[in-house]
Amino acid sequence: MTAHELVVIGGGPAGLAAALAAWEQGVRDILILERDNQAGGILNQCIHNGFGLHRFQEELTGPEYAGRFIDLVKQTDIQIRTDTMVLELTEDRVLHTVSPQYGYETFRAGAVILSMGCRERTRGAISIPGARCSGIFTAGAAQRFLNIEGYMVGKRVVILGSGDIGLIMARRMTLEGAKVLACVELMPYSGGLTRNIVQCLNDFDIPLYLSHTVTDVRGRDRLEQVVVSQVDEKRRPIPGTEMVFDCDTLLLSVGLLPENELSRQAGVEIDPRTNGPVVWENRECSIPGVFACGNVLHVHDLVDYVSAESEQAGKAAAAYLRGERPAGTEIRITNGSGVAYTVPQHFHRGTDAVEFFFRVRAIYKNAAIRVMDGQTQIARFKREHMAPGEMENVKLPKVLLDRVQGDTLSVEIEEGAQ
Amino acid sequence: MDYDVVIIGCGIVGAACAYELAKHDLRVCVLEASNDVANGTTKANSAIVHAGFDPLPGTKMARLNVRGTAMMGELCRKLDVPYRNNGSLVLSLSESDDGILQKLYAQGVANGVPGLALLDRTQTLSMEPNLSPAVRGSLFAPSAGIVNPWELCLALAETAVRNGAELRLSAPVTAIAQTAGGFCLTTPNGKLTTRYAVNCAGVFSDRIAVMAGDRSFRIQPAKGEYFLLDKSEGTRVDHVIFRCPSELGKGVLVTPTVHGNLLVGPNAAPCDADDVANTAAGMDFVRVSAQRSVPGINFRDNIRNFAGVRANSDRPDFIIEASAAAPGLIHAAGIRSPGLSAAPAIGLEVLELLRQAGLELRKKETIIDSRKRVRFHALSDEEKNELIRTDPRYGRVICRCETVTEGEIVACLHTPIPPVSVNGVKRRVGAGMGRCQGGFCGPRVQEIIARELGIDPTKVLMDWEGTWVLSGETKGGTAQ
Ligand SMILES: Cc1cc2nc3c(=O)[nH]c(=O)nc-3n(C[C@H](O)[C@H](O)[C@H](O)COP(=O)(O)OP(=O)(O)OC[C@H]3O[C@@H](n4cnc5c(N)ncnc54)[C@H](O)[C@@H]3O)c2cc1C
Ligand SMILES: Cc1cc2nc3c(=O)[nH]c(=O)nc-3n(C[C@H](O)[C@H](O)[C@H](O)COP(=O)(O)OP(=O)(O)OC[C@H]3O[C@@H](n4cnc5c(N)ncnc54)[C@H](O)[C@@H]3O)c2cc1C
């Protein structure tokens, strides 16, 4: 068994940024383990523009954004081991890995950063009825075929789900000469960023059917037809509203799930709302010395936030390795009305400013975010527009946090705020 | 004559027949319509090795079920097929169910099922704490188990091929003519002659019979639909959990699989023989019924739905007999549940019928009766290292959910029955069976198949003929 100060699982944007931050804080023995044959994570297949607007004030492609971080890492002594899959993580921070070059190995880590990203929800996860034909892909798998392997997956396409990957793929397939017939969304609002709706659907006259879903899939061998129905307020299909699309391809963009098999194995506490670890304000998990950041913690829309969050985790891991331990009693954060989850889930009393990330449950116009200490309002932030597809964040400075009396804070939405 | 025996259909029944026949000095050929073995009902069922208390005493079903189940452990051990003897419980949830358990118990005893026991509520709940609190008692059958049905089929067929049987895939029989002393069978790739033929065509077995001029039975296909849940639900129950059988069949069961997932289903509804589509109504029925026996099942952890078609027939028993209309044709037809459990015994039964019909059976001097494949995830750390040293491809994990390596995929592409599709690889090594359902590894598997078989990636299918995946190259073309 070899020992390292810091081991980072996953060489996507989260892992890279966390490792760099730890390096800047003086950690000198850092190992990044990445199962793919290159670092960069899911960004490698996102060849469209739109990354890095916040961070670099520039529109970069996914590989360019990742490339900037990889270049920075190369200027340090941080080791990146690609083609290396972490198979197991134990509670006492021992990692089991396998790779063609080094075989089966074990490592002991002073601190561990979890940055394994997420995977896509599949047809099974939402139990779409119908035939077992070919031609049904998750949008990300189709994206990999197009952008990495160079193959088209079909010619006439329906997309289920209006998440960002689905929207991006609507445009990508169209540019490749396919006909995208419809984008179908179960909810009464889109799950993607507004800019993607405009640039990927509207600009190409692709209709978006809100409050609709796929109710049948037909085709003995390859997909031949998809049946789309309107749904009622309880999201049940309404008989008589069926539309039939002749198509050979159905792309699913029905959500992402943080990949926490390793975390679960190690005994890290998982929040059922995010499907990611429960973390403190410094992104430390329920197991001391284990930190989490990026899509493994909660699904982000913008990689810029992933990088920022990961730097926090990297810094905290460095502090942990220096022997610093956060003091202060626990203050938990609960979801008030309209809030689906918050990250972090708790913080230490007396800490510096805390930035909360969360998602709302519905579309809100002219509403406010309120942070409550029991009946007392600690802070209130106005928002013209909030949607479940766009992650919200509010930052509470130390002066406000120091006023908290109780041991829970709640974040809630106040409707119709002026 | 080209062959002594031609077997029509390579599901579990055809494969079991081929396995037994290939041990003898015979020219044996298996004709399979699909591009892979186990591509019919054999890949889509409950995967239960039934103890044998369901069939009526005196039927072929009862006899062959109990015999097949008794053979299963040893067979799976020899042929390296995942099998677990976890036992089954039939639950009573009402007073009338109590009576049915008594009847099943008596039937099981008459059929020779070993070790049956009627358990009270406390005993039942102590064995399975996640059952409904409404449970009143159960029938425990220690000989029941679970198996990987398609791997068993593949292992039997592979062993038959190793012992000299010939297997022709994508070779549907389209016509049968009786000739002097045998048959002439037509397939799209030509005709072949044989002294004997065995009809193992599953839901299509009545069509094979009709081709030979035999109209003595009809298949009445009935679909069963399933949920396959993530491994996180795989320990919800440990035994096979049945409801009491009713007019509608054995009812919805809940069971772990040999891969560690949870399988829930099936319903029963008449359908066309080739209709394996899932329906909203069928899935709703399964979900609701299952929760009556195991209320806590988290269907949000579903990873796949599928459906299988039962070869029910207008006869109450398996149709395993010499055709009266076409001498030399042996039927192993209408093999519905417990056909998987009975299959090893059906192979022996067909052998005996062929002998009675005049086929001379001489055992070969040497036969292969074992099989082994690498299951990387199940090896010890030292074994893993050793293997990677000899072939680094075992160090590259392709399927991340099930930890399947490139080495295993490459190896399966060079077995006696190589897969030609992504799902063919999945059935052999498990790549793509996990929670992401091939989202990550599908494209990689596609690439490996193309490379190893020397074909263009756009020619690699998802599964059977016609299930194309890629429509061509992008404008930019392929990068590599
Ligand atoms: C299809 C798609 C389109 C997107 N488009 C945009 C956009 O236009 N603009 C934008 O700002 N953001 C976009 N995003 C979001 C952004 O790409 C993600 O937020 C970001 O990539 C998340 O980074 P991550 O490091 O957390 O995860 P990932 O990028 O997924 O990286 C995780 C890494 O961990 C590795 N890993 C996982 N498990 C193991 C293990 N056991 N052993 C070893 N390695 C492991 C993986 O191989 C992977 O490389 C998009 C995301 C997707 C999926
Ligand atoms: C929902 C369901 C649940 C079940 N659960 C269980 C269980 O838990 N335990 C159990 O013991 N049994 C179970 N069974 C029964 C078991 O699955 C079947 O009895 C068994 O798989 C039948 O195998 P087979 O080889 O006869 O049919 P199949 O597997 O269907 O094989 C028939 C083969 O014949 C081929 N074929 C068809 N026509 C032609 C042609 N013209 N030329 C050449 N080839 C042809 C087909 O392509 C196919 O491969 C279940 C069945 C169903 C449907």
Side-chain angles (χ1 to χ4, degrees):
Chain A
M1 191 171 343
T2 6
H4 290 278
E5 272 196 277
L6 175 61
V7 177
V8 178
I9 310 178
L16 293 169
L20 277 169
W23 174 268
E24 278 158 20
Q25 294 284 310
V27 183
R28 284 294 168 265
D29 175 17
I30 305 177
L31 175 65
I32 302 178
L33 300 170
E34 167 56 50
R35 61 188 174 186
D36 224 319
N37 55 14
Q38 54 180 340
I42 201 76
L43 291 183
N44 288 327
Q45 67 181 55
C46 302
I47 61 171
H48 55 279
N49 275 325
F51 296 84
L53 271 175
H54 294 247
R55 176 146 194 127
F56 298 111
Q57 286 77 50
E58 258 187 90
E59 281 225 40
L60 304 175
T61 65
E64 283 169 353
Y65 186 95
R68 298 233 170 155
F69 282 86
I70 294 172
D71 288 345
L72 290 173
V73 168
K74 282 193 181 140
Q75 292 163 24
T76 68
D77 293 332
I78 298 171
Q79 280 186 64
I80 305 186
R81 272 256 195 111
T82 55
D83 237 345
T84 303
M85 167 102 182
V86 179
L87 296 175
E88 199 186 330
L89 171 68
T90 66
E91 194 184 347
D92 50 354
R93 299 191 299 273
V94 172
L95 297 97
H96 297 246
T97 69
V98 66
S99 67
Q101 208 183 345
Y102 303 100
Y104 195 90
E105 291 178 285
T106 48
F107 296 97
R108 181 176 293 285
V112 170
I113 290 180
L114 306 172
S115 51
M116 291 90 76
C118 59
R119 63 168 181 271
E120 296 178 277
R121 293 178 79 209
T122 64
R123 175 179 182 178
I126 54 172
S127 289
I128 303 174
R132 313 301 316 172
C133 50
S134 67
I136 304 170
F137 301 83
T138 58
Q143 188 180 44
R144 184 181 165 100
F145 268 128
L146 265 80
N147 294 350
I148 306 237
E149 321 278 342
Y151 293 102
M152 273 298 273
V153 295
K155 300 196 169 99
R156 290 176 64 83
V157 187
V158 169
I159 298 177
L160 176 61
S162 60
D164 289 314
I165 315 174
L167 299 175
I168 300 272
M169 284 307 290
R171 176 174 64 188
R172 183 80 178 95
M173 294 287 285
T174 307
L175 293 175
E176 282 292 342
K179 175 82 189 148
V180 179
L181 302 165
C183 179
V184 178
E185 169 60 55
L186 179 69
M187 304 303 283
Y189 46 82
S190 157
L193 298 171
T194 311
R195 73 161 199 234
N196 282 337
I197 303 268
V198 174
Q199 294 171 6
C200 301
L201 295 186
N202 301 357
D203 287 1
F204 297 93
D205 293 326
I206 299 168
L208 171 62
Y209 294 97
L210 297 174
S211 296
H212 280 72
T213 193
V214 170
T215 47
D216 199 10
V217 164
R218 298 173 185 163
R220 205 181 67 113
D221 304 324
R222 176 75 184 201
L223 179 65
E224 289 166 21
Q225 286 181 333
V226 160
V227 180
V228 170
S229 307
Q230 200 181 332
V231 297
D232 62 20
E233 321 76 63
K234 291 197 170 133
R235 295 184 229 154
R236 287 172 312 207
I238 305 172
T241 60
E242 295 81 5
M243 294 183 279
V244 179
F245 292 94
D246 290 319
C247 58
D248 58 24
T249 304
L250 174 63
L251 296 189
L252 305 177
S253 174
V254 293
L256 299 168
L257 282 176
E259 281 231 52
N260 277 295
E261 279 65 41
L262 289 176
S263 330
R264 283 203 179 84
Q265 223 176 34
V268 166
E269 184 186 351
I270 302 290
D271 183 340
R273 296 164 301 184
T274 53
N275 283 306
V278 170
V279 289
W280 295 93
E281 71 277 18
N282 63 353
R283 303 300 184 268
E284 189 169 13
C285 304
S286 62
I287 299 183
V290 177
F291 301 80
C293 54
N295 278 352
V296 80
L297 181 54
H298 58 137
V299 176
H300 297 64
D301 330 310
L302 293 176
V303 69
D304 310 68
Y305 288 117
V306 170
S307 304
E309 172 175 273
S310 305
E311 282 163 2
Q312 236 179 322
K315 271 188 204 155
Y320 178 86
L321 289 167
R322 287 194 299 269
E324 294 167 24
R325 299 288 180 271
T329 51
E330 177 189 15
I331 300 180
R332 289 191 304 125
I333 300 151
T334 58
N335 317 333
S337 69
V339 173
Y341 73 77
T342 56
V343 167
Q345 288 85 348
H346 49 187
F347 63 96
H348 295 93
R349 195 182 297 276
T351 187
D352 267 349
V354 176
E355 194 168 7
F356 298 107
F357 293 87
F358 60 94
R359 285 183 193 269
V360 291
R361 290 187 182 279
I363 301 264
Y364 293 99
K365 288 202 165 41
N366 297 321
I369 301 162
R370 296 204 300 178
V371 182
M372 305 292 293
D373 173 15
Q375 297 303 313
T376 320
Q377 178 176 304
I378 294 285
R380 185 164 175 277
F381 306 83
K382 282 193 202 165
R383 291 285 190 274
E384 271 175 32
H385 179 85
M386 288 187 284
E390 318 214 355
M391 196 166 73
E392 288 295 331
N393 62 312
V394 296
K395 193 166 181 174
L396 296 192
K398 187 167 168 46
V399 281
L400 288 184
L401 292 177
D402 284 345
R403 285 190 208 150
V404 177
Q405 303 287 315
D407 51 13
T408 55
L409 273 191
S410 118
V411 180
E412 60 185 43
I413 306 302
E414 175 194 339
E415 287 185 70
Q418 291 312 303
Chain B
M1 290 282 167
D2 301 326
Y3 299 102
D4 295 309
V5 185
V6 166
I7 295 165
I8 304 169
C10 200
I12 189 74
V13 173
C17 293
Y19 169 74
E20 292 300 341
L21 280 165
K23 293 177 183 168
H24 299 84
D25 251 325
L26 296 168
R27 291 163 304 162
V28 177
C29 177
V30 188
L31 298 177
E32 168 51 55
S34 190
N35 62 2
D36 200 356
V37 304
N39 229 348
T41 301
T42 295
K43 74 170 176 199
N45 54 62
S46 307
I48 308 300
V49 181
H50 289 286
F53 48 76
D54 283 301
L56 290 178
T59 57
K60 290 193 180 93
M61 263 184 193
R63 179 167 53 84
L64 297 172
N65 181 170
V66 174
R67 187 175 181 196
T69 295
M71 294 166 71
M72 198 63 81
E74 172 62 5
L75 186 64
C76 290
R77 192 193 53 74
K78 278 195 300 200
L79 301 185
D80 192 14
V81 174
Y83 160 80
R84 206 182 126 212
N85 175 212
N86 57 332
S88 69
L89 294 172
V90 187
L91 305 187
S92 165
L93 296 175
S94 69
E95 217 166 300
S96 62
D97 281 357
D98 292 348
I100 297 175
L101 290 193
Q102 296 286 349
K103 192 177 141 251
L104 290 177
Y105 177 82
Q107 218 164 257
V109 170
N111 291 346
V113 178
L116 286 176
L118 286 164
L119 307 183
D120 64 19
R121 179 171 194 276
T122 319
Q123 289 168 315
T124 307
L125 285 172
S126 76
M127 282 168 79
E128 289 289 354
N130 291 331
L131 296 179
S132 159
V135 68
R136 299 162 58 90
S138 64
L139 173 64
F140 174 51
S143 63
I146 50 180
V147 69
N148 177 345
W150 57 88
E151 186 159 357
L152 178 57
C153 176
L154 179 76
L156 290 166
E158 223 175 77
T159 310
V161 169
R162 285 208 171 90
N163 284 320
E166 215 179 290
L167 170 69
R168 299 197 194 174
L169 297 171
S170 302
V173 173
T174 54
I176 302 177
Q178 189 110 38
T179 60
F183 300 96
C184 176
L185 307 181
T186 306
T187 74
N189 296 316
K191 294 184 192 298
L192 45 93
T193 54
T194 180
R195 291 168 61 207
Y196 295 89
V198 185
N199 174 10
C200 306
V203 283
F204 296 102
S205 52
D206 55 346
R207 301 190 197 177
I208 295 293
V210 169
M211 286 182 206
D214 181 341
R215 295 174 190 279
S216 62
F217 64 91
R218 281 189 56 183
I219 299 294
Q220 297 159 338
K223 184 154 64 177
E225 301 187 43
Y226 293 90
F227 288 85
L228 182 72
L229 282 78
D230 190 276
K231 289 184 176 163
S232 57
E233 284 290 303
T235 51
R236 178 107 14 216
V237 296
D238 188 45
H239 301 79
V240 181
I241 306 297
F242 295 109
R243 294 279 297 279
C244 273
S246 69
E247 314 283 78
L248 295 167
K250 287 186 201 128
V252 171
L253 62 85
V254 179
T255 179
T257 68
V258 286
H259 301 103
N261 299 81
L262 191 75
L263 181 65
V264 183
N267 64 333
C271 68
D272 290 337
D274 60 355
D275 172 11
V276 290
N278 283 106
T279 62
M283 293 194 290
D284 284 345
F285 173 84
V286 168
R287 204 186 284 118
V288 171
S289 310
Q291 269 159 341
R292 289 202 53 208
S293 33
V294 189
I297 300 171
N298 182 6
F299 282 94
R300 284 179 54 190
D301 279 337
N302 185 50
I303 60 174
R304 189 178 180 83
N305 294 94
F306 63 88
V309 185
R310 301 175 180 85
N312 292 351
S313 75
D314 52 6
R315 300 213 212 150
D317 203 354
F318 288 158
I319 302 160
I320 306 178
E321 62 193 27
S323 164
L329 174 65
I330 307 292
H331 294 305
I335 310 293
R336 60 223 213 204
S337 187
L340 170 63
S341 323
I346 295 175
L348 292 173
E349 185 85 353
V350 166
L351 203 68
E352 176 58 21
L353 288 171
L354 283 165
R355 200 185 55 75
Q356 286 169 15
L359 180 69
E360 54 297 338
L361 295 171
R362 234 187 349 267
K363 275 251 159 97
K364 282 179 184 155
E365 272 177 20
T366 54
I367 54 156
I368 295 163
D369 199 15
S370 65
R371 173 181 171 269
K372 198 84 207 142
R373 81 166 178 88
V374 170
R375 292 169 211 275
F376 182 81
H377 69 93
L379 300 177
S380 70
D381 300 359
E382 294 74 40
E383 289 169 324
K384 283 181 178 141
N385 253 327
E386 190 50 45
L387 192 61
I388 298 167
R389 249 195 305 276
T390 54
D391 185 346
R393 291 175 298 187
Y394 283 99
R396 183 170 295 124
V397 175
I398 302 291
C399 168
R400 295 140 175 197
C401 304
E402 301 292 306
T403 320
V404 179
T405 62
E406 182 175 7
E408 291 163 272
I409 296 174
V410 169
C412 90
L413 285 159
H414 298 283
T415 51
I417 310 177
V420 295
S421 68
V422 175
N423 286 355
V425 167
K426 165 167 141 183
R427 286 190 288 273
R428 282 163 180 79
V429 297
M433 273 204 8
R435 43 182 70 96
C436 92
Q437 288 287 298
F440 279 125
C441 68
R444 304 280 301 277
V445 170
Q446 187 121 358
E447 194 183 309
I448 297 172
I449 296 174
R451 185 186 75 207
E452 295 296 317
L453 302 184
I455 58 176
D456 192 84
T458 58
K459 295 282 177 293
V460 178
L461 301 170
M462 176 191 85
D463 208 324
W464 55 92
E465 282 319 320
T467 58
W468 56 274
V469 179
L470 303 174
S471 59
E473 295 188 4
T474 53
K475 289 176 178 163
T478 55
Q480 291 84 0

